[in-house]
Amino acid sequence: MAAVAFSDDEKRATLNGIVHPLVAHRRSELIAAAHEDAVIVEDIPLLVESQMAPMFPLVIVVNADPELRVKRLIEYRGFTEEDARARIAAQATEEQRRAVADVWLDNSGSPGAVVEQARTLWHERILPFAHNLKIEQPARRDAAV
């Protein structure tokens, strides 16, 4: 199905029109069922393309060079090179993704490297933000001249 959808803009739009309302409904169910103290992290592959970035207080983009992405799609997901390149060509450009990113994680190294970046982000930014929301207190910043 992906080979068809990513080779034709009209077919991809039709597929998205079917799938996205179902995903949105399930998303709403999961958020409603979450504990009130839960930190909700959403993995949204088409965040930029669907223009949803403004809905979120923090947008994290995980990036790798397109050639590395092609290599990984072939190696880990069994794509043909043509399918991998079609998938990437249908996605937002790096420039478009940078425009909405609050945080940019580089995924060109080992899996452990990006995990460590995410772990640091979790402890140094996301958890403090969640704590401040819970106690209804803005973040404290030293005045800078």
Side-chain angles (χ1 to χ4, degrees), residues 4-60:
V4 173
F6 284 97
S7 66
D8 184 293
D9 290 342
E10 190 174 310
K11 289 177 182 175
R12 186 170 54 259
T14 299
L15 179 62
N16 287 342
I18 295 166
V19 173
H20 288 185
L22 299 171
V23 170
H25 178 73
R26 182 64 179 140
R27 173 184 179 264
S28 295
E29 289 177 340
L30 291 170
I31 290 171
H35 188 272
E36 67 179 47
D37 287 345
V39 174
I40 298 172
V41 177
E42 297 187 54
D43 181 358
I44 304 175
L46 299 174
L47 179 79
V48 178
E49 295 83 348
S50 61
Q51 301 177 339
M52 292 174 59
M55 294 173 49
F56 299 94
L58 183 69
V59 174
I60 303 163

Tab-separated table of all heavy atoms in Angstrom, residues 4-60:
chain	number	residue	atom	x	y	z
A	4	VAL	N	2.164	2.336	-3.402
A	4	VAL	CA	1.162	3.042	-4.208
A	4	VAL	C	0.979	4.465	-3.676
A	4	VAL	O	1.008	5.435	-4.429
A	4	VAL	CB	-0.183	2.282	-4.212
A	4	VAL	CG1	-1.270	3.097	-4.892
A	4	VAL	CG2	-0.023	0.923	-4.875
A	5	ALA	N	0.796	4.599	-2.364
A	5	ALA	CA	0.508	5.913	-1.770
A	5	ALA	C	1.650	6.897	-1.956
A	5	ALA	O	1.411	8.078	-2.200
A	5	ALA	CB	0.182	5.757	-0.287
A	6	PHE	N	2.878	6.420	-1.841
A	6	PHE	CA	4.004	7.346	-1.926
A	6	PHE	C	4.478	7.581	-3.352
A	6	PHE	O	5.393	8.344	-3.584
A	6	PHE	CB	5.146	6.896	-1.017
A	6	PHE	CG	4.851	7.187	0.414
A	6	PHE	CD1	4.331	6.215	1.240
A	6	PHE	CD2	5.038	8.459	0.934
A	6	PHE	CE1	4.023	6.488	2.559
A	6	PHE	CE2	4.730	8.745	2.248
A	6	PHE	CZ	4.221	7.755	3.060
A	7	SER	N	3.824	6.959	-4.308
A	7	SER	CA	4.177	7.219	-5.698
A	7	SER	C	3.169	8.147	-6.367
A	7	SER	O	3.370	8.560	-7.502
A	7	SER	CB	4.258	5.897	-6.477
A	7	SER	OG	2.965	5.315	-6.548
A	8	ASP	N	2.092	8.512	-5.653
A	8	ASP	CA	1.019	9.306	-6.267
A	8	ASP	C	0.403	10.219	-5.208
A	8	ASP	O	-0.177	9.735	-4.235
A	8	ASP	CB	-0.031	8.349	-6.847
A	8	ASP	CG	-1.134	9.066	-7.582
A	8	ASP	OD1	-1.921	9.781	-6.924
A	8	ASP	OD2	-1.229	8.893	-8.808
A	9	ASP	N	0.507	11.541	-5.414
A	9	ASP	CA	-0.005	12.502	-4.428
A	9	ASP	C	-1.500	12.347	-4.187
A	9	ASP	O	-1.968	12.448	-3.047
A	9	ASP	CB	0.292	13.943	-4.881
A	9	ASP	CG	1.769	14.284	-4.818
A	9	ASP	OD1	2.527	13.572	-4.134
A	9	ASP	OD2	2.163	15.277	-5.466
A	10	GLU	N	-2.272	12.106	-5.227
A	10	GLU	CA	-3.724	11.991	-5.085
A	10	GLU	C	-4.102	10.744	-4.287
A	10	GLU	O	-4.975	10.792	-3.416
A	10	GLU	CB	-4.385	11.952	-6.466
A	10	GLU	CG	-5.894	12.064	-6.414
A	10	GLU	CD	-6.497	12.170	-7.813
A	10	GLU	OE1	-6.041	13.002	-8.606
A	10	GLU	OE2	-7.436	11.387	-8.071
A	11	LYS	N	-3.426	9.643	-4.565
A	11	LYS	CA	-3.710	8.407	-3.824
A	11	LYS	C	-3.302	8.548	-2.364
A	11	LYS	O	-3.992	8.057	-1.467
A	11	LYS	CB	-3.003	7.229	-4.479
A	11	LYS	CG	-3.619	6.851	-5.816
A	11	LYS	CD	-2.864	5.736	-6.480
A	11	LYS	CE	-3.496	5.445	-7.841
A	11	LYS	NZ	-2.721	4.451	-8.581
A	12	ARG	N	-2.184	9.228	-2.127
A	12	ARG	CA	-1.743	9.452	-0.751
A	12	ARG	C	-2.760	10.330	-0.013
A	12	ARG	O	-3.100	10.066	1.144
A	12	ARG	CB	-0.350	10.075	-0.711
A	12	ARG	CG	0.201	10.184	0.692
A	12	ARG	CD	1.676	10.587	0.762
A	12	ARG	NE	1.976	11.797	0.035
A	12	ARG	CZ	2.540	11.854	-1.169
A	12	ARG	NH1	2.881	10.737	-1.785
A	12	ARG	NH2	2.795	13.001	-1.752
A	13	ALA	N	-3.278	11.356	-0.665
A	13	ALA	CA	-4.290	12.219	-0.043
A	13	ALA	C	-5.554	11.423	0.293
A	13	ALA	O	-6.159	11.623	1.348
A	13	ALA	CB	-4.616	13.401	-0.960
A	14	THR	N	-5.943	10.522	-0.600
A	14	THR	CA	-7.117	9.679	-0.340
A	14	THR	C	-6.868	8.790	0.873
A	14	THR	O	-7.727	8.686	1.767
A	14	THR	CB	-7.445	8.809	-1.576
A	14	THR	OG1	-7.734	9.685	-2.664
A	14	THR	CG2	-8.627	7.897	-1.306
A	15	LEU	N	-5.718	8.153	0.914
A	15	LEU	CA	-5.371	7.297	2.052
A	15	LEU	C	-5.341	8.102	3.346
A	15	LEU	O	-5.908	7.679	4.366
A	15	LEU	CB	-4.017	6.622	1.817
A	15	LEU	CG	-3.513	5.721	2.943
A	15	LEU	CD1	-4.461	4.556	3.168
A	15	LEU	CD2	-2.113	5.227	2.632
A	16	ASN	N	-4.719	9.280	3.316
A	16	ASN	CA	-4.663	10.119	4.515
A	16	ASN	C	-6.066	10.534	4.962
A	16	ASN	O	-6.338	10.614	6.157
A	16	ASN	CB	-3.798	11.362	4.267
A	16	ASN	CG	-2.322	11.031	4.202
A	16	ASN	OD1	-1.887	9.974	4.657
A	16	ASN	ND2	-1.553	11.928	3.626
A	17	GLY	N	-6.951	10.780	4.013
A	17	GLY	CA	-8.325	11.147	4.345
A	17	GLY	C	-9.081	10.031	5.038
A	17	GLY	O	-10.024	10.282	5.799
A	18	ILE	N	-8.696	8.807	4.788
A	18	ILE	CA	-9.316	7.654	5.445
A	18	ILE	C	-8.680	7.402	6.810
A	18	ILE	O	-9.371	7.217	7.815
A	18	ILE	CB	-9.178	6.391	4.558
A	18	ILE	CG1	-9.971	6.571	3.256
A	18	ILE	CG2	-9.623	5.140	5.315
A	18	ILE	CD1	-9.626	5.535	2.189
A	19	VAL	N	-7.361	7.422	6.856
A	19	VAL	CA	-6.629	7.027	8.059
A	19	VAL	C	-6.612	8.124	9.128
A	19	VAL	O	-6.805	7.842	10.314
A	19	VAL	CB	-5.186	6.610	7.692
A	19	VAL	CG1	-4.343	6.366	8.934
A	19	VAL	CG2	-5.204	5.368	6.809
A	20	HIS	N	-6.387	9.366	8.735
A	20	HIS	CA	-6.184	10.427	9.728
A	20	HIS	C	-7.368	10.637	10.677
A	20	HIS	O	-7.143	10.817	11.885
A	20	HIS	CB	-5.771	11.731	9.052
A	20	HIS	CG	-4.376	11.683	8.525
A	20	HIS	ND1	-3.758	12.763	7.970
A	20	HIS	CD2	-3.465	10.677	8.473
A	20	HIS	CE1	-2.540	12.435	7.591
A	20	HIS	NE2	-2.347	11.169	7.884
A	21	PRO	N	-8.616	10.605	10.228
A	21	PRO	CA	-9.716	10.738	11.193
A	21	PRO	C	-9.739	9.595	12.216
A	21	PRO	O	-10.057	9.823	13.391
A	21	PRO	CB	-10.975	10.723	10.313
A	21	PRO	CG	-10.499	11.201	8.980
A	21	PRO	CD	-9.104	10.649	8.842
A	22	LEU	N	-9.399	8.395	11.785
A	22	LEU	CA	-9.350	7.255	12.709
A	22	LEU	C	-8.234	7.433	13.735
A	22	LEU	O	-8.417	7.159	14.923
A	22	LEU	CB	-9.164	5.950	11.934
A	22	LEU	CG	-10.277	5.603	10.944
A	22	LEU	CD1	-9.874	4.409	10.085
A	22	LEU	CD2	-11.574	5.335	11.678
A	23	VAL	N	-7.092	7.897	13.265
A	23	VAL	CA	-5.963	8.140	14.165
A	23	VAL	C	-6.316	9.246	15.154
A	23	VAL	O	-6.037	9.142	16.354
A	23	VAL	CB	-4.688	8.491	13.367
A	23	VAL	CG1	-3.581	8.974	14.285
A	23	VAL	CG2	-4.226	7.293	12.549
A	24	ALA	N	-6.945	10.314	14.683
A	24	ALA	CA	-7.327	11.429	15.556
A	24	ALA	C	-8.309	10.966	16.633
A	24	ALA	O	-8.193	11.357	17.804
A	24	ALA	CB	-7.928	12.561	14.745
A	25	HIS	N	-9.237	10.111	16.264
A	25	HIS	CA	-10.203	9.591	17.231
A	25	HIS	C	-9.496	8.756	18.302
A	25	HIS	O	-9.739	8.916	19.498
A	25	HIS	CB	-11.281	8.765	16.520
A	25	HIS	CG	-12.270	8.164	17.450
A	25	HIS	ND1	-13.242	8.909	18.084
A	25	HIS	CD2	-12.421	6.886	17.890
A	25	HIS	CE1	-13.952	8.110	18.863
A	25	HIS	NE2	-13.481	6.880	18.759
A	26	ARG	N	-8.610	7.879	17.864
A	26	ARG	CA	-7.881	7.026	18.818
A	26	ARG	C	-6.970	7.868	19.703
A	26	ARG	O	-6.849	7.611	20.904
A	26	ARG	CB	-7.083	5.957	18.068
A	26	ARG	CG	-6.353	5.009	18.974
A	26	ARG	CD	-7.313	4.185	19.821
A	26	ARG	NE	-6.568	3.268	20.658
A	26	ARG	CZ	-6.875	3.010	21.906
A	26	ARG	NH1	-7.940	3.548	22.470
A	26	ARG	NH2	-6.140	2.190	22.612
A	27	ARG	N	-6.349	8.880	19.148
A	27	ARG	CA	-5.507	9.797	19.906
A	27	ARG	C	-6.327	10.431	21.026
A	27	ARG	O	-5.888	10.490	22.180
A	27	ARG	CB	-4.946	10.871	18.985
A	27	ARG	CG	-4.195	11.974	19.667
A	27	ARG	CD	-3.771	13.050	18.638
A	27	ARG	NE	-3.082	14.117	19.294
A	27	ARG	CZ	-3.670	15.255	19.695
A	27	ARG	NH1	-4.950	15.462	19.483
A	27	ARG	NH2	-2.966	16.182	20.292
A	28	SER	N	-7.511	10.911	20.704
A	28	SER	CA	-8.388	11.530	21.699
A	28	SER	C	-8.744	10.555	22.809
A	28	SER	O	-8.766	10.921	23.988
A	28	SER	CB	-9.662	12.047	21.034
A	28	SER	OG	-9.358	13.079	20.144
A	29	GLU	N	-9.011	9.317	22.449
A	29	GLU	CA	-9.330	8.294	23.451
A	29	GLU	C	-8.158	8.064	24.404
A	29	GLU	O	-8.346	7.981	25.620
A	29	GLU	CB	-9.683	6.970	22.770
A	29	GLU	CG	-10.999	6.954	22.053
A	29	GLU	CD	-11.250	5.633	21.333
A	29	GLU	OE1	-10.294	4.861	21.064
A	29	GLU	OE2	-12.428	5.374	21.042
A	30	LEU	N	-6.962	7.950	23.839
A	30	LEU	CA	-5.781	7.684	24.663
A	30	LEU	C	-5.470	8.852	25.595
A	30	LEU	O	-5.130	8.646	26.762
A	30	LEU	CB	-4.578	7.377	23.775
A	30	LEU	CG	-4.649	6.058	23.017
A	30	LEU	CD1	-3.537	5.970	21.984
A	30	LEU	CD2	-4.609	4.878	23.974
A	31	ILE	N	-5.596	10.061	25.090
A	31	ILE	CA	-5.338	11.240	25.921
A	31	ILE	C	-6.372	11.335	27.035
A	31	ILE	O	-6.035	11.608	28.190
A	31	ILE	CB	-5.284	12.515	25.062
A	31	ILE	CG1	-4.017	12.490	24.191
A	31	ILE	CG2	-5.328	13.768	25.929
A	31	ILE	CD1	-3.950	13.588	23.153
A	32	ALA	N	-7.622	11.071	26.721
A	32	ALA	CA	-8.685	11.122	27.735
A	32	ALA	C	-8.460	10.080	28.823
A	32	ALA	O	-8.805	10.310	29.993
A	32	ALA	CB	-10.046	10.919	27.080
A	33	ALA	N	-7.885	8.948	28.457
A	33	ALA	CA	-7.666	7.869	29.420
A	33	ALA	C	-6.374	8.033	30.226
A	33	ALA	O	-6.171	7.325	31.212
A	33	ALA	CB	-7.642	6.521	28.686
A	34	ALA	N	-5.528	8.962	29.839
A	34	ALA	CA	-4.242	9.144	30.521
A	34	ALA	C	-4.444	9.714	31.917
A	34	ALA	O	-5.381	10.479	32.169
A	34	ALA	CB	-3.345	10.077	29.703
A	35	HIS	N	-3.571	9.342	32.818
A	35	HIS	CA	-3.594	9.871	34.185
A	35	HIS	C	-3.355	11.373	34.124
A	35	HIS	O	-2.645	11.868	33.249
A	35	HIS	CB	-2.501	9.185	35.014
A	35	HIS	CG	-2.557	9.522	36.462
A	35	HIS	ND1	-1.920	10.616	36.989
A	35	HIS	CD2	-3.194	8.910	37.489
A	35	HIS	CE1	-2.155	10.654	38.293
A	35	HIS	NE2	-2.919	9.631	38.614
A	36	GLU	N	-3.918	12.107	35.060
A	36	GLU	CA	-3.816	13.570	35.021
A	36	GLU	C	-2.379	14.071	35.120
A	36	GLU	O	-2.063	15.157	34.650
A	36	GLU	CB	-4.667	14.212	36.109
A	36	GLU	CG	-4.191	13.942	37.517
A	36	GLU	CD	-5.045	14.608	38.571
A	36	GLU	OE1	-6.281	14.499	38.479
A	36	GLU	OE2	-4.484	15.238	39.481
A	37	ASP	N	-1.484	13.298	35.697
A	37	ASP	CA	-0.074	13.689	35.805
A	37	ASP	C	0.777	13.165	34.642
A	37	ASP	O	1.996	13.357	34.649
A	37	ASP	CB	0.526	13.181	37.117
A	37	ASP	CG	0.039	13.964	38.314
A	37	ASP	OD1	-0.518	15.063	38.119
A	37	ASP	OD2	0.212	13.482	39.456
A	38	ALA	N	0.156	12.509	33.699
A	38	ALA	CA	0.910	11.908	32.603
A	38	ALA	C	1.572	12.976	31.742
A	38	ALA	O	1.016	14.039	31.499
A	38	ALA	CB	-0.013	11.059	31.738
A	39	VAL	N	2.762	12.667	31.291
A	39	VAL	CA	3.427	13.476	30.280
A	39	VAL	C	3.169	12.753	28.968
A	39	VAL	O	3.591	11.614	28.782
A	39	VAL	CB	4.943	13.598	30.538
A	39	VAL	CG1	5.623	14.329	29.398
A	39	VAL	CG2	5.200	14.293	31.878
A	40	ILE	N	2.461	13.406	28.089
A	40	ILE	CA	2.074	12.768	26.829
A	40	ILE	C	3.056	13.176	25.749
A	40	ILE	O	3.236	14.363	25.470
A	40	ILE	CB	0.635	13.147	26.450
A	40	ILE	CG1	-0.320	12.631	27.538
A	40	ILE	CG2	0.274	12.598	25.071
A	40	ILE	CD1	-1.743	13.101	27.388
A	41	VAL	N	3.681	12.173	25.162
A	41	VAL	CA	4.610	12.375	24.058
A	41	VAL	C	3.988	11.729	22.840
A	41	VAL	O	3.654	10.550	22.855
A	41	VAL	CB	5.995	11.742	24.355
A	41	VAL	CG1	6.924	11.897	23.170
A	41	VAL	CG2	6.599	12.359	25.617
A	42	GLU	N	3.815	12.512	21.795
A	42	GLU	CA	3.194	11.991	20.584
A	42	GLU	C	4.234	11.893	19.466
A	42	GLU	O	4.963	12.837	19.222
A	42	GLU	CB	2.042	12.897	20.148
A	42	GLU	CG	0.931	12.940	21.185
A	42	GLU	CD	-0.280	13.687	20.700
A	42	GLU	OE1	-0.804	13.344	19.614
A	42	GLU	OE2	-0.704	14.626	21.402
A	43	ASP	N	4.259	10.751	18.833
A	43	ASP	CA	5.134	10.503	17.688
A	43	ASP	C	4.271	10.669	16.444
A	43	ASP	O	3.452	9.805	16.133
A	43	ASP	CB	5.708	9.088	17.791
A	43	ASP	CG	6.656	8.751	16.656
A	43	ASP	OD1	6.860	9.597	15.757
A	43	ASP	OD2	7.191	7.630	16.659
A	44	ILE	N	4.444	11.796	15.748
A	44	ILE	CA	3.571	12.122	14.626
A	44	ILE	C	4.426	12.247	13.367
A	44	ILE	O	5.061	13.285	13.136
A	44	ILE	CB	2.781	13.421	14.890
A	44	ILE	CG1	1.998	13.287	16.199
A	44	ILE	CG2	1.865	13.739	13.708
A	44	ILE	CD1	1.277	14.532	16.617
A	45	PRO	N	4.456	11.198	12.548
A	45	PRO	CA	5.305	11.219	11.356
A	45	PRO	C	5.004	12.372	10.390
A	45	PRO	O	5.904	12.880	9.753
A	45	PRO	CB	5.031	9.870	10.689
A	45	PRO	CG	4.544	9.002	11.798
A	45	PRO	CD	3.796	9.912	12.726
A	46	LEU	N	3.761	12.791	10.279
A	46	LEU	CA	3.399	13.842	9.325
A	46	LEU	C	3.068	15.155	10.034
A	46	LEU	O	2.242	15.936	9.560
A	46	LEU	CB	2.213	13.388	8.465
A	46	LEU	CG	2.469	12.142	7.616
A	46	LEU	CD1	1.192	11.702	6.920
A	46	LEU	CD2	3.573	12.399	6.604
A	47	LEU	N	3.718	15.426	11.131
A	47	LEU	CA	3.447	16.630	11.912
A	47	LEU	C	3.587	17.897	11.071
A	47	LEU	O	2.710	18.762	11.087
A	47	LEU	CB	4.399	16.699	13.115
A	47	LEU	CG	4.230	17.923	13.989
A	47	LEU	CD1	3.034	17.741	14.905
A	47	LEU	CD2	5.475	18.186	14.799
A	48	VAL	N	4.654	18.012	10.349
A	48	VAL	CA	4.899	19.218	9.544
A	48	VAL	C	3.952	19.254	8.358
A	48	VAL	O	3.319	20.287	8.080
A	48	VAL	CB	6.368	19.283	9.089
A	48	VAL	CG1	6.610	20.503	8.203
A	48	VAL	CG2	7.297	19.300	10.298
A	49	GLU	N	3.834	18.130	7.670
A	49	GLU	CA	2.992	18.067	6.475
A	49	GLU	C	1.528	18.373	6.791
A	49	GLU	O	0.832	18.982	5.984
A	49	GLU	CB	3.097	16.679	5.823
A	49	GLU	CG	4.474	16.342	5.286
A	49	GLU	CD	5.444	15.805	6.330
A	49	GLU	OE1	5.169	15.883	7.551
A	49	GLU	OE2	6.501	15.306	5.936
A	50	SER	N	1.068	17.970	7.967
A	50	SER	CA	-0.326	18.198	8.355
A	50	SER	C	-0.524	19.534	9.073
A	50	SER	O	-1.629	19.834	9.506
A	50	SER	CB	-0.826	17.056	9.231
A	50	SER	OG	-0.048	16.983	10.410
A	51	GLN	N	0.549	20.288	9.208
A	51	GLN	CA	0.526	21.624	9.835
A	51	GLN	C	-0.013	21.585	11.264
A	51	GLN	O	-0.732	22.483	11.698
A	51	GLN	CB	-0.259	22.605	8.962
A	51	GLN	CG	0.351	22.730	7.582
A	51	GLN	CD	-0.425	23.646	6.652
A	51	GLN	OE1	-1.594	23.913	6.856
A	51	GLN	NE2	0.252	24.131	5.630
A	52	MET	N	0.365	20.545	11.997
A	52	MET	CA	-0.103	20.369	13.369
A	52	MET	C	0.869	20.917	14.416
A	52	MET	O	0.533	20.965	15.599
A	52	MET	CB	-0.354	18.881	13.647
A	52	MET	CG	-1.514	18.302	12.882
A	52	MET	SD	-1.660	16.509	13.107
A	52	MET	CE	-1.862	16.364	14.881
A	53	ALA	N	2.053	21.329	14.020
A	53	ALA	CA	3.062	21.760	14.993
A	53	ALA	C	2.566	22.818	15.973
A	53	ALA	O	2.885	22.736	17.168
A	53	ALA	CB	4.328	22.234	14.275
A	54	PRO	N	1.766	23.793	15.547
A	54	PRO	CA	1.314	24.813	16.510
A	54	PRO	C	0.443	24.266	17.641
A	54	PRO	O	0.236	24.957	18.637
A	54	PRO	CB	0.507	25.791	15.643
A	54	PRO	CG	1.051	25.624	14.266
A	54	PRO	CD	1.405	24.157	14.172
A	55	MET	N	-0.027	23.054	17.528
A	55	MET	CA	-0.870	22.456	18.573
A	55	MET	C	-0.070	22.008	19.794
A	55	MET	O	-0.654	21.657	20.822
A	55	MET	CB	-1.610	21.226	18.023
A	55	MET	CG	-2.615	21.518	16.951
A	55	MET	SD	-3.305	20.008	16.193
A	55	MET	CE	-3.758	19.022	17.611
A	56	PHE	N	1.241	22.005	19.703
A	56	PHE	CA	2.063	21.396	20.736
A	56	PHE	C	3.003	22.401	21.393
A	56	PHE	O	3.552	23.267	20.718
A	56	PHE	CB	2.873	20.235	20.138
A	56	PHE	CG	1.989	19.167	19.579
A	56	PHE	CD1	1.640	19.158	18.241
A	56	PHE	CD2	1.452	18.200	20.409
A	56	PHE	CE1	0.788	18.194	17.724
A	56	PHE	CE2	0.600	17.228	19.910
A	56	PHE	CZ	0.266	17.227	18.569
A	57	PRO	N	3.208	22.275	22.721
A	57	PRO	CA	4.099	23.211	23.414
A	57	PRO	C	5.578	22.979	23.100
A	57	PRO	O	6.387	23.867	23.301
A	57	PRO	CB	3.813	22.944	24.891
A	57	PRO	CG	3.293	21.550	24.936
A	57	PRO	CD	2.569	21.331	23.635
A	58	LEU	N	5.911	21.798	22.611
A	58	LEU	CA	7.295	21.487	22.293
A	58	LEU	C	7.311	20.542	21.102
A	58	LEU	O	6.661	19.498	21.130
A	58	LEU	CB	7.997	20.820	23.491
A	58	LEU	CG	9.482	20.513	23.325
A	58	LEU	CD1	10.296	21.806	23.286
A	58	LEU	CD2	9.975	19.621	24.452
A	59	VAL	N	8.040	20.918	20.072
A	59	VAL	CA	8.164	20.072	18.882
A	59	VAL	C	9.621	19.625	18.773
A	59	VAL	O	10.531	20.447	18.690
A	59	VAL	CB	7.736	20.822	17.595
A	59	VAL	CG1	8.021	19.973	16.358
A	59	VAL	CG2	6.260	21.202	17.671
A	60	ILE	N	9.793	18.322	18.785
A	60	ILE	CA	11.120	17.715	18.677
A	60	ILE	C	11.198	17.033	17.322
A	60	ILE	O	10.344	16.215	16.985
A	60	ILE	CB	11.336	16.679	19.795
A	60	ILE	CG1	11.138	17.341	21.165
A	60	ILE	CG2	12.704	16.021	19.659
A	60	ILE	CD1	10.916	16.353	22.286
